[in-house]
Amino acid sequence: MASVTPSYDRDGEHIGWQVAVRKRGFPAQYKTFRTKAEAMGWAAVTESEMVRGVFVQRTESEQTTLNDLLCRYSKEVLPTLKGGYREQSRIKALQAGLGAYSLASLNSSLIAKYRDSRLSTISEKTGRLVSAQTVKHELGLLQRAMKMAAIEWGIALPGGIPTAMVKKPSLPSARDRRLVDDEEERLLAACAEARNAWLRPVIIFAIETAMRAGEILEKWELDKETGNQEKKGVGLQWSDVDLKKRTAHLPKTKNGDARTVPLSRRAVATLEALPRNLDGRVFGVTYEGIHQSYVRACRRAGITGLTFHDLRHEATSRLFEKGLNPMQVAAITGHKTLQMLKRYTHLRAEDLAKLLG
């Protein structure tokens, strides 16, 4: 049964109405309202939910703001994730837009408004509109944090996880740039003319293995808070290469899982021709050192619109064209789902026609 009693302040002034709902099998519920009608309405809804077996304890979700949740997620979860530092900018954006709301008050309408607002915001970093991919990552982070709150931290969300009901921004079509005609020969010829002697073997190795730039080369990134360059990847190490077995082991990858990449004969020949660095790196150059050389080589070769990451697209597609099945290709490239793999795979119709006989 619910009881509604007047509530007074220290001076004896009437300030509202306190409700107490007590029902066997449920924790007692208390709440104060300004009017008696609001108090009785809340009591009726709460009792009805208890009777129907759909009652959810709201106290903690009402007292926890999204800002509180994201701070906890940042401290307890991000340090355990590979590349978790990338989530900090997304957390700041979510806190700025939705941080003041309690978890109980967050709904799909508020999140949809946040999505639309972000898509019309100019990024301080790029000077352009915030991309749909960026907003999708932010909503994904919000969903993971709220799921953690509900499942691991025991914070009941009365309306469930609202992000599941919000339409994600439409992404632009996946890049389908591949090497065409004699572009590979022209590119490698231009690389051979480069001052950077590492450029040509790096390009060949990328095409042969489908490895990411950060898996091949040492990589550095600017820490916005400190203004210092920080090493984010050590690149491929000789200690992880077995030329006899024709494998390269990657103990740390972007998705957090280790994997071992099989090496083609061309990849092995490329490695065998390299000088050995005293620091253990296979390629004695950073990604930053390769990038500008690569851009200039493409310019000399008359090749436009081909990014370094497109070489991973090219390599992945060639694996399928050689007849490997999706599971085999995923084991090489490190993609976790077929949908992710599909975005990097662009098969030529003429090559598929040859397989048909």
Side-chain angles (χ1 to χ4, degrees):
M1 288 292 294
S3 63
V4 180
T5 57
S7 179
Y8 301 92
D9 62 16
R10 293 180 179 179
D11 298 325
E13 292 291 331
H14 181 255
I15 58 174
W17 299 83
Q18 186 181 62
V19 187
V21 179
R22 301 179 183 87
K23 185 173 178 60
R24 186 174 182 179
F26 295 91
Q29 300 297 306
Y30 303 95
K31 198 164 185 178
T32 301
F33 295 88
R34 287 189 177 276
T35 68
K36 189 173 183 179
E38 290 175 330
M40 294 182 68
W42 179 83
V45 169
T46 302
E47 286 184 317
S48 173
E49 289 178 350
M50 289 178 174
V51 170
R52 291 182 289 118
V54 296
F55 173 77
V56 175
Q57 174 68 272
R58 293 175 171 82
T59 304
E60 192 168 4
S61 63
E62 290 174 346
Q63 295 176 349
T64 303
T65 65
L66 181 61
N67 184 63
D68 297 331
L69 173 65
L70 292 175
C71 284
R72 181 177 178 182
Y73 189 84
S74 179
K75 291 178 181 178
E76 298 184 19
V77 179
L78 293 191
T80 68
L81 303 178
K82 172 71 175 178
Y85 64 93
R86 296 189 184 93
E87 303 278 38
Q88 292 295 348
S89 61
R90 296 163 191 161
I91 283 179
K92 290 180 180 178
L94 288 166
Q95 287 176 325
L98 297 169
Y101 290 97
S102 71
L103 299 185
S105 65
L106 271 181
N107 55 42
S108 57
S109 176
L110 285 172
I111 295 172
K113 289 179 181 178
Y114 170 83
R115 174 201 62 201
D116 297 340
S117 174
R118 287 290 286 159
L119 290 172
S120 62
T121 300
I122 301 296
S123 168
E124 294 181 2
K125 181 179 179 181
T126 65
R128 299 189 296 270
L129 286 174
V130 172
S131 70
Q133 184 68 67
T134 295
V135 178
K136 185 176 180 180
H137 282 314
E138 291 170 1
L139 295 182
L141 170 61
L142 176 58
Q143 181 159 320
R144 291 191 296 276
M146 297 193 77
K147 186 175 181 180
M148 179 67 72
I151 297 176
E152 296 288 337
W153 297 337
I155 302 177
L157 303 176
I161 300 176
T163 48
M165 297 179 283
V166 177
K167 183 180 179 181
K168 305 303 184 290
S170 298
L171 300 179
S173 300
R175 287 181 61 84
D176 59 0
R177 183 66 163 93
R178 292 192 59 184
L179 291 164
V180 296
D181 301 327
D182 64 343
E183 283 188 334
E184 182 174 351
E185 291 75 15
R186 285 157 46 202
L187 175 60
L188 293 178
C191 289
E193 299 173 359
R195 294 180 181 179
N196 192 328
W198 296 102
L199 181 59
R200 189 172 187 276
V202 166
I203 298 303
I204 293 174
F205 195 75
I207 293 173
E208 290 296 313
T209 64
M211 287 167 60
R212 300 178 178 90
E215 296 168 347
I216 300 173
L217 302 166
E218 182 178 293
K219 198 170 184 180
W220 294 70
E221 289 185 8
L222 179 67
D223 187 312
K224 295 180 182 179
E225 295 184 358
T226 65
N228 298 324
Q229 291 284 342
E230 293 189 356
K231 186 186 292 188
K232 297 303 181 183
V234 298
L236 185 61
Q237 304 291 303
W238 280 116
S239 59
D240 294 321
V241 175
D242 190 325
L243 294 177
K244 291 184 179 180
K245 293 182 178 179
R246 290 170 49 189
T247 61
H249 181 67
L250 305 176
K252 294 182 180 180
T253 65
K254 182 180 179 181
N255 62 26
D257 294 337
R259 76 176 191 276
T260 300
V261 179
L263 302 177
S264 66
R265 290 185 174 83
R266 188 185 186 197
V268 169
T270 299
L271 294 181
E272 290 177 334
L274 294 176
R276 295 296 181 108
N277 293 297
L278 295 178
D279 62 7
R281 289 182 297 165
V282 172
F283 298 98
V285 65
T286 65
Y287 172 73
E288 292 70 29
I290 282 290
H291 180 68
Q292 289 302 319
S293 296
Y294 174 78
V295 172
R296 288 191 288 267
C298 285
R299 191 179 301 124
R300 288 195 301 274
I303 297 173
T304 58
L306 184 72
T307 68
F308 189 92
H309 193 69
D310 288 334
L311 302 180
R312 177 166 160 85
H313 294 227
E314 177 67 29
T316 304
S317 297
R318 289 185 183 187
L319 293 173
F320 277 105
E321 290 165 353
K322 289 178 180 179
L324 276 69
N325 64 46
M327 290 297 293
Q328 292 170 323
V329 175
I332 296 172
T333 63
H335 292 100
K336 287 192 170 183
T337 67
L338 182 60
Q339 187 62 31
M340 292 170 64
L341 191 60
K342 184 179 178 181
R343 286 180 60 85
Y344 288 85
T345 307
H346 307 285
L347 307 179
R348 298 187 181 96
E350 57 266 33
D351 294 321
L352 295 175
K354 294 176 184 177
L355 297 176
L356 298 177

